Amino acid sequence: MNALLEISQLAKKFADGKYPAVNFIDLEVQEGEIFALLGPSGCGKTTTLRMIAGFERADHGEIRLQGKLVESRQTTVPAEKRNVGIVFQDYALFPHLTVLKNVAFGLKGKTRREREQRAREVLALVGLEGNLDSSPSTLSGGQQQRVALARTLVTEPNLILMDEPFSSLDPVLRESTRAEVRSLLHRARMTTILVTHDQEEALSFADRVAVMRAGRIEQVGTPEEVYNHPETEFVARFLGRTNLINGRASGCMAETPLGRLRLDRTAWGKVRVSLRPEHLTLIPNDPQAKRPAGEIIGRAFKGHDITYRVRFPAHEWIVHTDNRTHFQIGDKALLSALEPAVVLHDEGPPEEG
Ligand code: ATP
């Protein structure tokens, strides 16, 4: 795979901004990849996207598209010459034009017949061949989303940018539209960057995710990597619920309030680890076990799983179990880790000699 987009040391500070909106980031997006920029509100996702699109100048750093320099302090290629397609949050469809005309609108330098022929092909690709003459207002939110995507795809961009594209859909429609759009983009081998603050959306939609915080990138990886092996406390917390605990590590084991735990990498000295609630399980108290039991202080049945809160003298734990693991409030239970604890930071190996 080749990098379609290369970003190096990109930075931007707005004149009235207290902190840099984007603070020296490096990033590579491969051809055909769906990539997500994920982070809380104000972390610099949209500003990064706008610099890639050519709507915003960078103060520092470079952006290359297909190896060509499009943005640096000295150079800027105008937005309309970057061949980057954008899908907006509100779809920005023309209400007075039919679906077919909305999609054909962006095509230039062709006869009307050619434009409409091409628009028909792309609308078939997004599964809307039966809605060519409909007005956008008669379509569902998910269908409007697909018209907006078709209007971008028809111009054959090298890269598609999507800024919170599913946020106006209701939760049920959002999940199915997301899955459809994802498979469509993969079928079209379209390189795509999605901006979102919704962790579930980023994890389920993207091939790789960059987690951003305060203008910087904290971690880049596949959804499994960033969720199961967060490198920082922020990433561990931002991607879902987790238990954060301190201990003392020596190699691949650590002494913790939960007893001796396996670690996901070697670590030394004071260590802070993360254990996701579903990587723990509860077993009935056994006095022979020679380890302290916790007390169940919270229980939420959620259909396919149950969330328990378990209190130990020094720590409170969150545990997700399957829906067949039954404990009641006040029960005593033992906690057991199903996966190695993820090391967030440690003191490093001891000095030689
Ligand atoms: P959101 O999810 O809320 O859209 P974001 O992660 O996309 O947030 P940005 O919109 O990139 O974040 O904003 C990053 C920072 O830059 C914020 O502190 C924001 O207030 C500031 N900012 C963004 N655009 C401008 C602007 N045009 N002028 C001044 N400050 C701006």
Side-chain angles (χ1 to χ4, degrees):
M1 272 211 288
N2 295 321
L4 183 118
L5 171 74
E6 295 158 277
I7 291 179
S8 66
Q9 291 295 291
L10 191 69
K12 171 84 185 175
K13 184 170 180 299
F14 291 100
D16 52 352
K18 205 161 159 201
Y19 306 103
V22 175
N23 203 351
F24 297 93
I25 64 167
D26 296 308
L27 206 60
E28 263 192 29
V29 179
Q30 308 301 321
E31 245 167 60
E33 186 174 34
I34 301 182
F35 192 91
L37 289 176
L38 169 70
S41 181
C43 73
K45 309 176 295 286
T46 300
T47 306
T48 304
L49 210 69
R50 288 174 58 79
M51 287 193 277
I52 298 169
F55 297 152
E56 202 77 70
R57 288 301 313 270
D59 295 342
H60 188 277
E62 291 183 355
I63 302 177
R64 285 173 196 274
L65 277 169
Q66 293 187 308
K68 185 177 169 229
L69 186 65
V70 294
E71 184 72 20
S72 70
R73 242 184 106 88
Q74 292 79 25
T75 327
T76 186
V77 172
E80 64 279 10
K81 297 236 165 78
R82 293 191 185 191
N83 202 13
V84 170
I86 301 168
V87 178
F88 293 101
Q89 190 173 343
D90 60 1
Y91 317 142
L93 300 175
F94 298 116
H96 58 286
L97 296 182
T98 63
V99 164
L100 182 69
K101 292 210 161 89
N102 257 285
V103 176
F105 182 84
L107 287 172
K108 297 193 179 71
K110 290 187 163 68
T111 64
R112 195 176 127 199
R113 258 179 80 106
E114 285 169 339
R115 284 203 304 269
E116 293 197 351
Q117 178 54 32
R118 177 77 191 119
R120 262 192 209 99
E121 287 166 18
V122 178
L123 281 162
L125 182 74
V126 302
L128 288 176
E129 60 274 54
N131 301 82
L132 303 182
D133 298 321
S134 309
S135 150
S137 61
T138 64
L139 302 180
S140 73
Q143 288 172 320
Q144 289 183 34
Q145 167 68 263
R146 282 186 278 150
V147 178
L149 185 63
R151 202 178 50 179
T152 305
L153 283 173
V154 80
T155 61
E156 298 179 36
N158 291 324
L159 173 66
I160 288 189
L161 307 178
M162 305 176 108
D163 195 348
E164 306 272 2
F166 307 109
S167 56
S168 51
L169 302 175
D170 69 61
V172 176
L173 199 55
R174 193 181 306 158
E175 204 175 320
S176 59
T177 307
R178 224 156 52 193
E180 277 167 22
V181 170
R182 175 185 157 78
S183 82
L184 231 152
L185 290 168
H186 270 153
R187 255 184 287 144
R189 292 184 202 290
M190 209 48 248
T191 315
T192 305
I193 301 181
L194 165 82
V195 154
T196 180
H197 63 272
D198 177 335
Q199 44 98 0
E200 188 189 314
E201 182 158 303
L203 296 178
S204 61
F205 190 76
D207 301 316
R208 281 194 311 145
V209 177
V211 184
M212 287 187 77
R213 177 198 192 187
R216 293 179 187 275
I217 291 177
E218 289 245 333
Q219 189 174 349
V220 181
T222 63
E224 286 82 359
E225 282 164 355
V226 291
Y227 183 82
N228 288 329
H229 297 282
E231 286 167 4
T232 66
E233 195 162 319
F234 174 80
V235 175
R237 281 174 186 275
F238 193 71
L239 291 183
R241 297 178 86 173
T242 198
N243 297 284
L244 297 166
I245 49 168
N246 298 325
R248 266 209 102 73
S250 169
C252 53
M253 302 296 286
E255 289 301 335
T256 73
L258 192 58
R260 224 167 131 68
L261 285 184
R262 236 168 3 118
L263 302 175
D264 73 330
R265 67 170 173 87
T266 54
W268 307 95
K270 277 193 203 158
V271 72
R272 187 147 172 88
V273 300
S274 159
L275 264 168
R276 296 266 180 224
E278 67 274 24
H279 292 164
L280 290 166
T281 195
L282 286 171
I283 36 184
N285 187 21
D286 173 7
Q288 308 288 322
K290 294 197 180 69
R291 54 190 170 108
E295 182 185 346
I296 308 288
I297 56 166
R299 179 184 190 273
F301 178 76
K302 292 181 296 182
H304 63 297
D305 61 17
I306 307 177
T307 300
Y308 288 101
R309 274 172 48 230
V310 191
R311 186 162 60 206
F312 280 77
H315 199 80
E316 204 176 292
W317 298 79
I318 305 168
V319 184
H320 288 172
T321 67
D322 58 45
N323 66 6
R324 296 181 304 275
T325 305
H326 291 294
F327 288 92
Q328 300 305 324
I329 305 283
D331 283 354
K332 298 279 187 197
L334 297 173
L335 258 185
S336 180
L338 300 169
E339 296 288 333
V342 176
V343 177
L344 299 175
H345 45 84
D346 68 329
E347 292 181 321
E351 300 270 322
E352 292 274 329

